[in-house]
Amino acid sequence: NSNTTFELSRVKDFKKVEMRLQNVNAANLKLTPGIYYWRVSGKNETGETEFSESRKVILIKESGLQLFSPAESSVVNYNSGNP
């Protein structure tokens, strides 16, 4: 294929494309956490546009370790052993 295009979308059917990059081998993207779908398209020998399978990417927000504990005077229920 020629004239390749990388497409990134938040919706699986690509009705709204967030980003479109043409003829690139690599890219650094600054994306917010969430679920994204990507695919590659290009023109075949007859000039028709073909699309790859779409793939899903989930970006998770990286955050530091946080400690949680029950609030003062709260009750923690459990069945057996210490909670």
Side-chain angles (χ1 to χ4, degrees), residues 69-81:
S69 62
E72 190 174 326
S73 300
S74 64
V75 176
V76 177
N77 298 316
Y78 59 96
N79 291 330
S80 60

Side-chain angles (χ1 to χ4, degrees), residues 41-57:
S41 66
K43 302 271 183 194
N44 63 17
E45 303 83 28
T46 63
E48 296 178 33
T49 302
E50 293 182 338
F51 295 95
S52 69
E53 293 180 13
S54 62
R55 300 291 179 154
K56 183 178 183 179
V57 175

Side-chain angles (χ1 to χ4, degrees), residues 7-73:
E7 295 178 331
L8 187 72
S9 177
R10 286 191 177 260
V11 290
K12 193 173 185 174
D13 60 7
F14 287 85
K15 288 191 178 184
K16 183 180 179 202
V17 176
E18 299 284 324
M19 186 175 300
R20 189 173 276 127
L21 303 172
Q22 293 186 324
N23 299 318
V24 294
N25 293 326
N28 290 324
L29 309 175
K30 291 187 178 187
L31 303 171
T32 58
I35 298 173
Y36 294 89
Y37 299 90
W38 68 271
R39 68 182 179 185
V40 177
S41 66
K43 302 271 183 194
N44 63 17
E45 303 83 28
T46 63
E48 296 178 33
T49 302
E50 293 182 338
F51 295 95
S52 69
E53 293 180 13
S54 62
R55 300 291 179 154
K56 183 178 183 179
V57 175
I58 301 172
L59 298 179
I60 300 171
K61 181 180 178 183
E62 186 176 315
S63 60
L65 180 64
Q66 297 178 0
L67 298 176
F68 293 94
S69 62
E72 190 174 326
S73 300

